[in-house]
């Protein structure tokens, strides 16, 4: 369970949001809305423990995240605005590298990796160096990590940006699978997407 209590976020001397409260249970998704500059990314980074809030508390399974340290991070998957891929790697190499960084005990078989990349529309580009790919193809390469991601809490910043219909359908389905298995998701998006099998979708709009 992820619980946020009276959270306040600031940028410099400016208050971005305050009095943010929510509780997210297994199988639930929180859709974070708000205009540009409302503090959506700041809130996501606070949930990851990357940016300390000005005040308030963030708890995972009843304990403050700052007291859990690495234990909390082992249950967290964060994908921000930056794709966090190696530009000198191919999509296949990035897929394998992310599997290793995630602590995946089983190194992905080549056929499984190629299948996942193919589902994201990267067939024929699996062996191209990422610096030569389009922004949409780079985003799909970054999202391919979710094909094998087993961490309980996914925090995703605008994951649907720059995706075509095929990739949107894949991501929506993968989110649904994660939620159906008891996972939790917090994401920001300016786009609407049908997330199948979601037990409950909550919406939080930042307006400060």
């Amino acid at each position: 369970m992820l619980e946020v209590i009276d959270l306040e976020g600031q940028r410099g001397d400016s208050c971005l949001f305050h009095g943010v409260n929510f509780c997210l249970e297994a199988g639930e998704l929180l859709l974070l809305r708000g205009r540009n500059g409302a503090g959506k990314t700041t809130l996501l980074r606070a949930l990851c423990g990357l940016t300390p809030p000005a005040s308030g508390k963030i708890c995972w399974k009843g304990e403050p995240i700052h007291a859990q340290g690495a234990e909390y991070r082992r249950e967290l998957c964060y994908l921000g605005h930056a794709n966090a891929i190696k530009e000198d790697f191919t999509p296949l190499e990035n897929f394998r590298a992310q599997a290793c960084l995630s602590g995946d005990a089983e190194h992905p078989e080549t056929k499984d990796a190629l299948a996942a990349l193919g589902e994201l529309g990267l067939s024929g580009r699996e062996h191209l160096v990422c610096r030569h790919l389009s922004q949409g193809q780079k985003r799909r390469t970054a999202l391919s990590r979710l094909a094998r991601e087993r961490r309980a809490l996914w925090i995703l910043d605008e994951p649907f940006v720059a995706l075509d219909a095929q990739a949107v359908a894949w991501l929506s389905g993968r989110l649904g699978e994660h939620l159906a298995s008891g996972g939790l998701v917090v994401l920001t998006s300016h786009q609407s997407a049908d997330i199948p099998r979601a037990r409950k979708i909550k919406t939080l709009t930042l307006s400060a």
Side-chain angles (χ1 to χ4, degrees):
M1 179 179 72
L2 180 67
E3 186 177 15
V4 168
I5 305 167
D6 290 331
L7 208 67
E8 179 179 337
Q10 292 184 334
R11 181 183 297 124
D13 295 328
S14 300
C15 178
L16 296 175
F17 56 81
H18 61 88
V20 171
N21 295 273
F22 67 84
C23 182
L24 206 60
E25 305 270 359
E28 294 183 342
L29 181 148
L30 178 70
L31 177 59
L32 186 59
R33 300 280 197 186
R35 59 178 174 76
N36 291 338
K40 299 186 297 298
T41 295
T42 298
L43 177 53
L44 294 188
R45 288 178 58 83
L47 296 179
C48 295
L50 297 173
T51 301
S55 63
K57 186 184 294 186
I58 304 169
C59 295
W60 174 249
K61 297 181 179 179
E63 297 293 333
I65 63 170
H66 65 78
Q68 298 185 50
E71 183 179 349
Y72 174 62
R73 291 190 292 273
R74 281 193 291 269
E75 300 203 61
L76 171 69
C77 170
Y78 173 58
L79 182 61
H81 277 299
N83 287 320
I85 61 174
K86 289 280 191 179
E87 293 275 335
D88 292 333
F89 283 11
T90 67
L92 180 57
E93 289 168 337
N94 270 291
F95 185 92
R96 287 171 166 165
Q98 286 292 350
C100 292
L101 290 173
S102 295
D104 203 329
E106 298 179 4
H107 196 69
E109 296 285 343
T110 298
K111 62 181 179 61
D112 295 332
L114 292 176
L117 294 169
E119 289 174 2
L120 277 158
L122 290 167
S123 294
R125 296 171 177 82
E126 305 96 328
H127 302 289
L128 293 178
V129 174
C130 284
R131 78 164 74 92
H132 299 310
L133 300 180
S134 69
Q135 288 304 312
Q137 290 163 349
K138 291 177 182 178
R139 191 61 173 172
R140 281 176 266 167
T141 298
L143 288 167
S144 68
R145 63 185 288 191
L146 299 180
R148 293 174 62 88
E149 186 57 69
R150 296 182 177 89
R151 300 186 188 199
L153 175 60
W154 293 5
I155 298 180
L156 312 175
D157 198 349
E158 293 290 349
F160 291 100
V161 165
L163 299 185
D164 59 15
Q166 178 184 358
V168 167
W170 179 89
L171 178 56
S172 297
R174 186 66 189 96
L175 290 171
E177 291 171 0
H178 179 62
L179 294 167
S181 68
L184 298 81
V185 177
V186 180
L187 65 83
T188 65
S189 180
H190 290 291
Q191 301 167 250
S192 59
D194 180 26
I195 311 296
R197 304 168 70 185
R199 184 166 71 84
K200 187 173 184 180
I201 296 179
K202 300 178 178 180
T203 301
L204 172 64
T205 300
L206 298 181
S207 57

